[in-house]
Amino acid sequence: HNTHSLQEQIEALLQFNAAAFEARQLRRQTTDLRALVDQQIEALRLRWQSRQIQMRVIGEAPPMLLDPDKMGSAIGNLLINAVRFAPPSSRVEVILARAPGLVQIDVVDQGPGVDEQDRPYVFEPFYRGRRQPDDAVRGTGVGLSIVHEYIQAHGGRVQLLATERGAHFRIELPHAS
């Protein structure tokens, strides 16, 4: 058990270090953000369908100059967490919107949300929050830190917004209005 646990920690460290390095090497191309979100949702189809979770995408976004692999990974990590924490037969929403000079991507689930004491640390590498789903394998704590690295590399930011229920993550990416 200890050997397996140590192996998981080493793999998570390697994954995070690789992501931090790769974040500095963006291969930007004009990307349809809505199509990228749809691809990430489709890639997780078996996970969300097996839990009878409804996935809903609201809104549109203009074409953007992004690294589609890294942005897809960032969006995918947020979706993986949303599906992991959303209760069966609930809903996960991805909301695309424009704000002055920005494009926003919100990922909202109906799960238990993030414990108040965990909120300042959710983007720290290897940090795992107090609220974990009973029926899921415990995560490595690198997913949200990778999201943070990739979004920052694009000149944007990711934040955890306050909600009464569930978790609400927002990515903001700079975009000429």
Side-chain angles (χ1 to χ4, degrees), residues 29-172:
Q29 55 186 286
T30 302
T31 304
D32 180 337
L33 200 51
R34 172 69 187 248
L36 189 63
V37 168
D38 290 340
Q39 288 170 359
Q40 294 304 311
I41 289 172
E42 184 60 31
L44 296 172
R45 177 176 291 283
L46 291 177
R47 289 185 194 197
W48 54 266
Q49 279 187 335
S50 70
R51 303 192 65 224
Q52 300 169 349
I53 293 172
Q54 294 178 359
M55 299 295 287
R56 190 164 92 176
V57 182
I58 301 167
E60 296 292 331
M64 297 189 66
L65 198 58
L66 306 169
D67 182 318
D69 292 335
K70 291 176 182 64
M71 189 57 60
S73 179
I75 293 167
N77 278 335
L78 289 179
L79 289 171
I80 287 168
N81 277 355
V83 169
R84 184 171 178 256
F85 285 93
S89 301
S90 66
R91 182 175 64 237
V92 171
E93 293 182 337
V94 180
I95 305 159
L96 303 172
R98 289 186 77 160
L102 297 172
V103 169
Q104 296 173 334
I105 307 164
D106 291 81
V107 178
V108 183
D109 68 55
Q110 297 177 325
V114 178
D115 187 277
E116 197 60 40
Q117 293 177 340
D118 293 329
R119 293 177 75 77
Y121 309 107
V122 294
F123 297 109
E124 296 291 322
F126 308 106
Y127 187 80
R128 293 182 282 200
R130 289 166 178 77
R131 295 180 182 157
Q132 296 292 320
D134 294 331
D135 61 345
V137 177
R138 190 160 165 85
T140 61
V142 298
L144 290 177
S145 58
I146 290 172
V147 171
H148 185 260
E149 290 287 327
Y150 286 170
I151 299 306
Q152 274 196 321
H154 281 87
R157 73 177 181 159
V158 60
Q159 56 191 322
L160 172 62
L161 302 180
T163 60
E164 289 184 27
R165 181 177 178 212
H168 183 166
F169 287 89
R170 173 173 288 162
I171 294 172
E172 294 179 335

